[in-house]
Amino acid sequence: MRTTVCAVALGVSLAAATAAAQESQFAQYQKMVAEGSPVELFELVGEELWQKKQGPKNASLEQCDLGLGPGRVKGAHARLPRYFKDVDRVMDVETRLLHCMMTLQGRSREDALKRPFGNADKPSEMEYLSAYVAGQSRGYKMSPGMSHPQEQESYALGKKLFYVRTGLWDFSCASCHGEEGKRIRMSELPVLSKPEAARPLMATWPAYRVSNSTFKTMQWRLNNCFRQMRTPEPVFGSETINALNMYLTVTARGATYSGPGTKR
Amino acid sequence: MAGPMKMRATLASGYTDVRVLMSHPMETGQRKGPDGKMIPLHFIQNLTVKVNGKTVVEGQISQAVSRNPVFSFRLKGGAKGDKIEVSWLDNKGETNRTESAVA
Amino acid sequence: MMRKWMMGAGIAALVLSPVAFAEPSDREVQEIMKRDFRPKGQAKMDRIEQDAVQKVCTASLNKPPAQLAKKLEADQMETIAYPAGSLMGNWKGGAAIAWSGQGMQWHEDPKKPSGGGCYNCHEMSPARTSFGTIGPSLRGFGKTRGNGIEMQRYAYGKIYNAKAYNLCSEMPRFGHTNSLTEQQIKDLVAYLLDPASPVNQ
Amino acid sequence: MDDQRRGWLKAAGALGVVLVAGLLKPVAALAATWNKDAFAAKSAADALKSLGAADTAASSDIVIEAPQIAENGAVVPIEVTSKIAGTTSIAVLIEKNPFPLAGKFDFMEGALAFVKLNVKMGETSDVRVVATAGGRNYVATREIKVTIGGCGG
């Protein structure tokens, strides 16, 4: 109790000291793994796929409008999710990439989504593209859309969804990510409703994930959480997935994007 | 076909830092594929670092090196523009190489 | 689709605070989820159909009104089917069930037995150093609480349907959802209570 | 069969120059030696014997930088520096791996005795690093703990 009072009184410096004292036992590991990460290999392949002509229209994605206008990739990831007038809805980066595959390349939704999530032996097109696009936002401040009514709706829905008890085993996102200092086995669980926990996390997704030996996207992360919550499968690019992503990204806003990251 | 390699060679204080990323499955021969069959051993065995055509590091490695290997080496001194080349050879005889100038 | 609940939220929306405006109702959220999920493997759509417990715990953010909680806990207690005879199975079987985190996921074979995933959230045997902390430590459970029939019934019931004891508990209802069989739950009871179990060493 | 084989040899002879110039040379130009016995050894001691480094003296001039505890054994970063003058090679061995020798690096004029790599570790283990300088072998050891995380398994 006394430390809490002191921390408030002393402000930043002590707060920093407290954070250091509570540093994860895996901090050194995570730092070294991030320094020696193969993540850039995925950005390289993603850039090739971005420029590759394919689909019925034999077009590349280079004219894809990720929110800054056609063909502007620098800094775009850090401003997503946001409202897109041309489709009158909120989209995160993967939903928008899917949209561009369909509109620019003329591919069907089925074709473009045949394999949204890959594996180590064969990463997916979406994973490579996400790596490239995210890498182009390194150093940019995260500022998802928050002004359009639909963006605010999306945030509000995401926040509600975060606390919905559901699935065969009655979990909500908050069951695991709602309380400080909790673990699943040895995995430390960030309290994602808090900016200080959401920022470092959202600033490093998508990411090379050591457990999968490959690159993974945010939609995969959410999909995989629902799998472990024993629900049916959320639809790729659905309002539910976009809203959860919006809620987490808005909670993390202001962070400097430093991904694509490297995770356990 | 081999996936991409990426290298960065940068001048540090008194040495050149070489960081190289390689796409490779580094299969241990002890993992089952989706078809239930064991995936055979497939891993990089040799790697070579050259500066301006002269070999400076020769590495022999095993399947215990992680998938998509990342290595760092340090070269004495060095100057901007020095040509660094890294190549590898795996147990199936596949090879790849990349080169870049010290920045 | 969600326009309805944005009506009247216009003024709040002008203030750029993300927390200041109206939220969708629980019912609307349910409808959106039903539209946005698809059955896959053994995970059918009924799994996101909220029952009374899930509804109340969602609406109250896990702080249900006391009287309602009491009534629903009593309902949940009635779901617990106690087998006749001893509730103590084999602790060795229980050890494997407690350690396994598999089962009931959409990619898994429903014919294969599930694990209990106990170590995901609980410390149990001191020999297992990889354990979660979402639930309380169960180390020495039987040693400190005894292993008489009352304690067996409590442990069996808690694993079968944790919501009978604490309505908004984060613990799954392993028996009620047919995730674990009667024998598996008995084995877990033994893992918790048997003096020979590593949990009690 | 014999005829066929002779035919193939003849063709190979004719192509010999091309083969050497176009295919074999790049492969030969790579460091083509790979110490099979050392890498197949099932104990660190046997691996070191095969490397001709059975006798080692402890040295505090070999610096191993690695996490004390690794969250996932699939990628364990290890950084090794030998401050021993004239170091010509560094070998990295993971004692408890089925085949302990993970890598051996030879340093020629122009390179510092330094390497950083990621290795797989099946379980908590000592990591042994052997540096060779002036025909003598020096050793340093460090334990790395490996945990299992996640709830899918």
Side-chain angles (χ1 to χ4, degrees), chain C residues 151-168:
Chain C
M151 194 44 64
Q152 290 176 30
R153 282 182 70 84
Y154 170 70
Y156 189 96
K158 180 89 184 177
I159 298 166
Y160 193 99
N161 188 340
K163 271 68 176 180
Y165 303 82
N166 170 10
L167 193 70
C168 297

Side-chain angles (χ1 to χ4, degrees), chain C residues 105-182:
Chain C
Q105 301 174 87
W106 66 54
H107 69 290
E108 291 174 316
D109 180 355
K111 287 192 215 86
K112 283 194 183 151
S114 278
C118 309
Y119 278 94
N120 288 351
C121 300
H122 298 285
E123 179 182 18
M124 299 183 89
S125 160
R128 292 284 197 189
T129 54
S130 174
F131 57 84
T133 58
I134 295 174
S137 170
L138 303 175
R139 192 170 161 176
F141 190 86
K143 207 163 142 187
T144 48
R145 301 189 181 211
N147 58 9
I149 187 67
E150 277 315 300
M151 194 44 64
Q152 290 176 30
R153 282 182 70 84
Y154 170 70
Y156 189 96
K158 180 89 184 177
I159 298 166
Y160 193 99
N161 188 340
K163 271 68 176 180
Y165 303 82
N166 170 10
L167 193 70
C168 297
S169 163
E170 299 291 359
M171 182 165 155
R173 295 172 276 185
F174 291 103
H176 184 55
T177 56
N178 291 316
S179 301
L180 294 177
T181 64
E182 182 184 299

Side-chain angles (χ1 to χ4, degrees), chain C:
Chain C
M1 173 75 214
M2 286 165 52
R3 270 293 110 76
K4 268 178 290 148
W5 51 265
M6 277 308 295
M7 298 290 218
I11 294 168
L14 289 175
V15 192
L16 287 183
S17 166
V19 284
F21 53 90
E23 292 178 335
S25 72
D26 288 345
R27 232 188 97 230
E28 283 166 324
V29 172
Q30 269 299 289
E31 290 309 312
I32 290 165
M33 284 181 69
K34 277 186 209 164
R35 185 199 62 197
D36 286 352
F37 282 75
R38 296 284 178 273
K40 185 167 181 178
Q42 62 172 295
K44 306 289 188 245
M45 290 300 281
D46 60 341
R47 289 194 183 180
I48 53 164
E49 201 73 60
Q50 282 188 311
D51 75 345
V53 173
Q54 290 181 339
K55 269 187 192 141
V56 167
C57 295
T58 299
S60 66
L61 292 174
N62 297 334
K63 292 184 186 68
Q67 256 188 325
L68 181 58
K70 229 174 168 179
K71 186 195 163 293
L72 288 173
E73 281 168 8
D75 292 349
Q76 294 297 304
M77 193 63 87
E78 297 214 345
T79 68
I80 302 173
Y82 286 100
S86 168
L87 298 175
M88 295 268 267
N90 171 357
W91 69 259
K92 284 179 186 159
I97 298 161
W99 183 248
S100 166
Q102 290 177 347
M104 315 310 281
Q105 301 174 87
W106 66 54
H107 69 290
E108 291 174 316
D109 180 355
K111 287 192 215 86
K112 283 194 183 151
S114 278
C118 309
Y119 278 94
N120 288 351
C121 300
H122 298 285
E123 179 182 18
M124 299 183 89
S125 160
R128 292 284 197 189
T129 54
S130 174
F131 57 84
T133 58
I134 295 174
S137 170
L138 303 175
R139 192 170 161 176
F141 190 86
K143 207 163 142 187
T144 48
R145 301 189 181 211
N147 58 9
I149 187 67
E150 277 315 300
M151 194 44 64
Q152 290 176 30
R153 282 182 70 84
Y154 170 70
Y156 189 96
K158 180 89 184 177
I159 298 166
Y160 193 99
N161 188 340
K163 271 68 176 180
Y165 303 82
N166 170 10
L167 193 70
C168 297
S169 163
E170 299 291 359
M171 182 165 155
R173 295 172 276 185
F174 291 103
H176 184 55
T177 56
N178 291 316
S179 301
L180 294 177
T181 64
E182 182 184 299
Q183 185 59 47
Q184 284 183 305
I185 299 176
K186 281 160 76 170
D187 289 349
L188 284 174
V189 170
Y191 189 53
L192 285 168
L193 300 182
D194 194 318
S197 160
V199 171
N200 296 313
Q201 302 312 306

Side-chain angles (χ1 to χ4, degrees), chain B residues 29-96:
Chain B
Q30 293 172 18
R31 188 174 74 97
K32 275 182 190 160
D35 58 357
K37 280 189 204 149
M38 286 301 218
I39 301 170
L41 261 174
H42 184 201
F43 64 103
I44 295 174
Q45 292 187 321
N46 293 100
L47 46 110
T48 305
V49 183
K50 289 182 183 178
V51 182
N52 298 325
K54 179 175 157 283
T55 300
V56 289
V57 181
E58 275 184 1
Q60 300 175 43
I61 62 170
S62 81
Q63 63 272 28
V65 169
S66 305
R67 189 181 190 107
N68 297 320
V70 180
F71 289 94
S72 288
F73 299 103
R74 287 179 183 171
L75 311 176
K76 279 179 198 156
K80 264 193 186 162
D82 277 357
K83 201 185 89 179
I84 314 287
E85 180 192 323
V86 177
S87 54
W88 58 253
L89 166 67
D90 73 15
N91 66 323
K92 292 188 179 175
E94 290 166 15
T95 71
N96 202 356

